[in-house]
Amino acid sequence: ASPRRQPLPFRGDNARTDSVEAQSVGTHRGQQNSSRKHETLEEEESNAEYVNFAGWSVADDYVRTLLVRVRWELVRHVDLGDNRLTAKCMDAFDEVAQQQGLATLESLRLGKNRLGKAGTIQLAKLIRNYQPPLQQLDLADNGVTDEACAYLCESLAENCKTLVGLSLAKNGLGETLRAGTALGNYIGTAKGLQALDLQWNKLSGAGAVALVQGLWENACAIRGSLWRLDLAWNRLAVRCDESLSLPDCKCETCKWCSKVVATLANVFAEGSTLF
């Protein structure tokens, strides 16, 4: 059998997918030949399929200037990770979407920015209103919050059936039940999802139970495609202090822990896709 293709390079590397053959709008500083004519540069920028300004430390105004110059009927991949973008950046995306739509956008990488709750909710609305055919979405390290995560999951479930890879790592998710519940509901219906990165969050207790129940539904009920999962550095198996001397502790915290572990065991025992 041929090896599985990895759907989402989670950790911010800038490798292009196999299908990307077009030039980049802004690959690396210094690559552009200073002798080129201004008109040639403008033509290259407007005709690019791959917009890549990852790690440039750019802010919202710069990105808006860039986005309005791009021909969005051609753009398939956008990488603006590791910059200083806030919710204001989503206003720029909405502006160009109103004028040109996002009908070809397959990959959006916004990891390691400052979108926060407001920016994530705006992105969820953008997905709902314009329904881009996204396959990869990276929002790692953006201060997403549980509330915004719930909005995003609902929007993805209803308006983005094409999504293959999703990263919400390092967002502090799990302060309330809302994030785990929303993620579980989404995963349980996302038959096409193949990769999910939730590392470095705070998922625990009832929220963690809802999450792993969604994993079970994906693997065993709907026979989904999720095979790559990262839950490292969460609190899925957190127990109370007394459990060290009382292995059979029946407190609420230990009950949730036992249920998480039991449900995960069922995922591996009854499912055949994950790992």
Side-chain angles (χ1 to χ4, degrees), residues 23 57 90 131 232:
Q23 61 201 354
S57 193
M90 290 298 105
Q131 300 184 6

Side-chain angles (χ1 to χ4, degrees), residues 25 37 83 108 141 151 194 196 202 208 216 222 225 245:
V25 169
K37 293 182 179 180
N83 283 299
L108 180 58
D141 199 5
Y151 276 101
Q194 295 183 33
L196 178 63
K202 302 177 181 179
W216 182 89
I222 66 172
S225 306
S245 56

Side-chain angles (χ1 to χ4, degrees), residues 3-8 10 135-136 161-166 186-187 190-197 215 218 224-230 273-275:
R4 293 173 175 173
R5 181 176 177 181
Q6 294 188 358
L8 178 64
F10 282 134
Q135 296 181 27
Q136 301 178 1
K161 307 290 187 181
T162 55
L163 198 66
V164 174
L166 173 65
Y186 169 60
I187 296 166
K191 195 168 185 177
L193 189 67
Q194 295 183 33
L196 178 63
D197 187 359
L215 294 175
N218 186 284
S225 306
L226 183 62
W227 64 271
R228 184 181 177 191
L229 174 68
D230 194 339
T273 306
L274 191 59
F275 298 110

Side-chain angles (χ1 to χ4, degrees), residues 121-136:
I121 292 177
Q122 285 181 267
L123 175 59
K125 293 178 179 179
L126 193 78
I127 293 171
R128 181 192 65 197
N129 293 337
Y130 302 102
Q131 300 184 6
L134 283 176
Q135 296 181 27
Q136 301 178 1

Side-chain angles (χ1 to χ4, degrees), residues 43-157:
E43 181 179 357
E44 289 178 354
E45 291 176 352
S46 63
N47 291 324
E49 290 185 13
Y50 195 106
V51 178
N52 183 0
F53 275 78
W56 278 48
S57 193
V58 295
D60 300 312
D61 291 340
Y62 185 97
V63 169
R64 183 194 174 280
T65 302
L66 163 70
L67 296 183
V68 297
R69 296 176 62 183
V70 173
R71 292 178 58 191
W72 283 90
E73 69 270 21
L74 302 177
V75 174
R76 296 167 57 202
H77 305 272
V78 174
D79 190 347
L80 297 172
D82 195 9
N83 283 299
R84 295 181 289 122
L85 306 181
T86 69
K88 186 178 178 182
C89 175
M90 290 298 105
D91 293 334
F93 270 99
D94 188 65
E95 179 181 344
V96 298
Q98 288 182 41
Q99 297 173 356
Q100 303 185 53
L102 300 172
T104 60
L105 184 60
E106 299 175 6
S107 175
L108 180 58
R109 300 169 67 91
L110 295 169
K112 206 172 181 182
N113 276 288
R114 306 171 186 175
L115 298 185
K117 171 183 171 181
T120 305
I121 292 177
Q122 285 181 267
L123 175 59
K125 293 178 179 179
L126 193 78
I127 293 171
R128 181 192 65 197
N129 293 337
Y130 302 102
Q131 300 184 6
L134 283 176
Q135 296 181 27
Q136 301 178 1
L137 178 59
D138 183 359
L139 293 176
D141 199 5
N142 264 289
V144 166
T145 77
D146 289 5
E147 181 179 353
C149 177
Y151 276 101
L152 179 67
C153 287
E154 182 179 347
S155 182
L156 292 175

